[in-house]
Amino acid sequence: MYNYRKVTDDLYWVGANDHRLALFENIHPLYHGVSYNAYVLLDEKSVLFDTADWSVSREFLANVKAVLNGRPLDYMVINHVEPDHAASIEEILLRWPEVKIITTPKAVTLLNQFGFDLDPNKVDEVKEGDSRCFGRHTIAFVYAPMVHWPEAMVSFDTTNGVLFSADAFGSFRALDGKLFADEFDFDREWIDDARRYYTNIVGKYGPQVVALLNKAASVVGLDNIKMLCPLHGPVWRKDLGYIIDKYTHWATYEPEEKGVMIVYASMYGSTENAAEVLAAKLAERGVVNTRLYDVSSTHVSYLISDLFKYSHMVLASVTYNLGIFPPMHNFLADMKALNLQKRTVALLENGSWAPRSGALMREALEELKHIDILDDGLSIASSLREQNISEMDALADAIAASVQK
């Protein structure tokens, strides 16, 4: 049974929700599902914007057919060819063989690599700034390379201000009957999923996101954008400044808020205890916006997400085989891979006979850009004892002073 929703008078959401997928991109946990968004414009010509993953292809095709209601499908705009959005292209071509594809030259190359047998006579390769008129609506095409694939573009309806933003402004989490961001308490229910989606999927490409935002401001005009239609998550029709501000923070690696994220790696509980003591001492100094994480039991996508949220971080690691505890080592590698910047970090190390994790974590952090490492680190031998309290107090003082300045 079809299940579509009206976006504007002549634009319809024809996507679907997936609650069965356990790992997005086979990496990131999905405890609340995910949506695959696609849209149909009914003008003098009908236009489909993107398709959907194989997992929801049946629902997606039923929605497209119901919205068209017997009309032919004239055009298919492909903004992004990653398989979670392009997998159903062949199904569209089988059902509406006369449809003409509009996409970028790079997208055509990638589609051929994925095995799609496209008829060159039915492919319209658009350049940066090209536009196409479908009747009342004129769509302008703006390249968005590396947001987050090289072929990506966004499509802007100059008639009503709708921006089909591809993976930009997307989010994890299924829509479950709702569609618009204002139908949720977004800041309470959705922001963590939106941040986790951005930071782990797009986070490495902050400069490219900034370039796209600047291009949208100069070519389209941010004031002219009235609605954001991403490929995952809710549609934005109100308070666009809220999500654009979040993206600006994330893309420029500026923290959303002052706070301390404490991530510990503990084998038998001693390093965990030291992290708990530090958190308590920070609270005594008025620093209560803190989060404590066990790096071994927390999926790294959640750690990366909060890294983009908070201004300060404490890394507390036991020494393991004269190195950094492996999950902490992997976390540091992910920070580098995702281009983390502009954070203040304190270090706490533990080791029974040769504590080395602190020096090694410092070396790893020094490879990142614009990272301020506090000098007041702490080294403990096996477990926190009374003789370490003055050093722990000094560390808490240094972190609190940095947070509160």
Side-chain angles (χ1 to χ4, degrees):
M1 179 64 180
Y2 60 82
N3 183 23
Y4 61 82
R5 281 201 62 180
K6 180 180 284 191
V7 181
T8 66
D9 287 342
D10 42 16
L11 180 66
Y12 297 83
W13 176 85
V14 292
N17 295 289
D18 188 350
H19 282 282
R20 296 185 179 187
L21 186 66
L23 297 173
F24 189 83
E25 295 186 343
N26 212 25
I27 303 175
H28 310 294
L30 290 176
Y31 297 120
H32 304 290
V34 67
S35 72
Y36 300 106
N37 299 341
Y39 308 89
V40 168
L41 176 67
L42 296 180
D43 203 339
E44 293 176 18
K45 299 293 184 179
S46 59
V47 188
L48 170 65
F49 292 88
D50 295 293
T51 69
D53 191 81
W54 269 115
S55 64
V56 297
S57 185
R58 182 178 180 181
E59 297 93 325
F60 159 70
L61 293 167
N63 291 342
V64 173
K65 181 179 178 180
V67 168
L68 289 174
N69 193 25
R71 287 186 56 173
L73 180 60
D74 298 305
Y75 291 93
M76 176 166 48
V77 173
I78 301 174
N79 289 300
H80 182 30
V81 304
E82 197 168 3
D84 57 334
H85 306 298
S88 298
I89 288 174
E90 192 169 34
E91 295 299 319
I92 293 292
L93 296 176
L94 288 171
R95 288 161 175 77
W96 293 278
E98 297 306 312
V99 67
K100 191 165 188 176
I101 293 173
I102 299 175
T103 194
T104 66
K106 184 66 174 178
V108 173
T109 299
L110 292 177
L111 287 168
N112 287 328
Q113 289 177 193
F114 277 114
F116 291 100
D117 186 16
L118 303 181
D119 181 349
N121 296 315
K122 293 180 180 177
V123 177
D124 180 6
E125 296 184 7
V126 292
K127 301 186 297 295
E128 173 82 74
D130 281 354
S131 63
R132 298 291 184 268
C133 183
F134 303 108
R136 298 179 303 279
H137 296 263
T138 297
I139 307 295
F141 304 102
V142 179
Y143 282 10
M146 299 317 301
V147 185
H148 60 121
W149 276 30
E151 90 304 346
M153 70 175 182
V154 299
S155 303
F156 181 65
D157 190 332
T158 62
T159 304
N160 60 11
V162 173
L163 181 68
F164 300 95
S165 59
D167 269 344
F169 305 109
S171 178
F172 294 140
R173 203 177 187 101
L175 294 167
D176 296 343
K178 305 180 184 73
L179 176 61
F180 300 103
D182 55 273
E183 293 179 319
F184 305 91
D185 184 342
F186 193 90
D187 205 49
R188 181 174 65 87
E189 298 177 50
W190 275 79
I191 188 58
D192 289 339
D193 282 302
R195 185 191 307 104
R196 190 164 67 94
Y197 174 85
Y198 172 86
T199 55
N200 288 277
I201 306 301
V202 191
K204 178 179 180 179
Y205 303 106
Q208 288 83 356
V209 174
V210 171
L212 176 60
L213 291 172
N214 290 337
K215 190 189 299 185
S218 61
V219 176
V220 172
L222 291 181
D223 290 341
N224 294 322
I225 300 175
K226 307 301 181 186
M227 190 174 292
L228 298 170
C229 289
L231 290 176
H232 297 289
V235 170
W236 288 83
R237 61 182 177 182
K238 297 179 180 178
D239 301 324
L240 271 62
Y242 169 90
I243 193 64
I244 291 173
D245 177 69
K246 293 294 185 185
Y247 257 66
T248 301
H249 275 83
W250 300 335
T252 57
Y253 306 99
E254 294 291 343
E256 287 178 60
E257 56 191 59
K258 290 287 189 75
V260 183
M261 176 183 177
I262 303 174
V263 183
Y264 65 86
S266 188
M267 294 176 63
Y268 300 109
S270 296
T271 309
E272 177 182 7
N273 171 252
E276 292 275 7
V277 170
L278 177 59
K281 288 185 175 294
L282 288 174
E284 290 171 352
R285 288 157 174 79
V287 179
V288 294
N289 189 18
T290 58
R291 293 294 301 272
L292 200 67
Y293 286 112
D294 182 344
V295 72
S296 296
S297 60
T298 307
H299 191 273
V300 70
S301 66
Y302 290 92
L303 301 178
I304 292 295
S305 177
D306 268 3
L307 270 183
F308 277 71
K309 179 179 181 181
Y310 294 114
S311 58
H312 290 64
M313 171 173 56
V314 177
L315 299 181
S317 180
V318 66
T319 300
Y320 190 85
N321 287 336
L322 297 180
I324 304 170
F325 193 63
M328 182 66 79
H329 186 273
N330 294 339
F331 180 37
L332 285 160
D334 275 1
M335 289 185 213
K336 182 177 181 180
L338 292 168
N339 203 22
L340 179 75
Q341 303 175 29
K342 302 179 182 178
R343 295 299 183 272
T344 300
V345 186
L347 298 174
L348 188 157
E349 69 173 1
N350 189 3
S352 293
W353 61 89
R356 282 180 41 81
S357 56
L360 295 173
M361 289 190 293
R362 178 179 289 270
E363 288 179 13
L365 289 166
E366 286 173 347
E367 296 181 8
L368 306 181
K369 300 176 182 177
H370 312 300
I371 298 294
D372 181 18
I373 305 174
L374 296 179
D375 291 332
D376 298 271
L378 175 60
S379 180
I380 61 176
S382 299
S383 63
L384 190 67
R385 288 170 291 169
E386 196 67 34
Q387 66 198 52
N388 302 120
I389 295 304
S390 62
E391 295 173 283
M392 179 68 83
D393 283 329
L395 178 60
D397 287 339
I399 296 170
S402 180
V403 172
Q404 295 166 348
K405 69 179 180 182

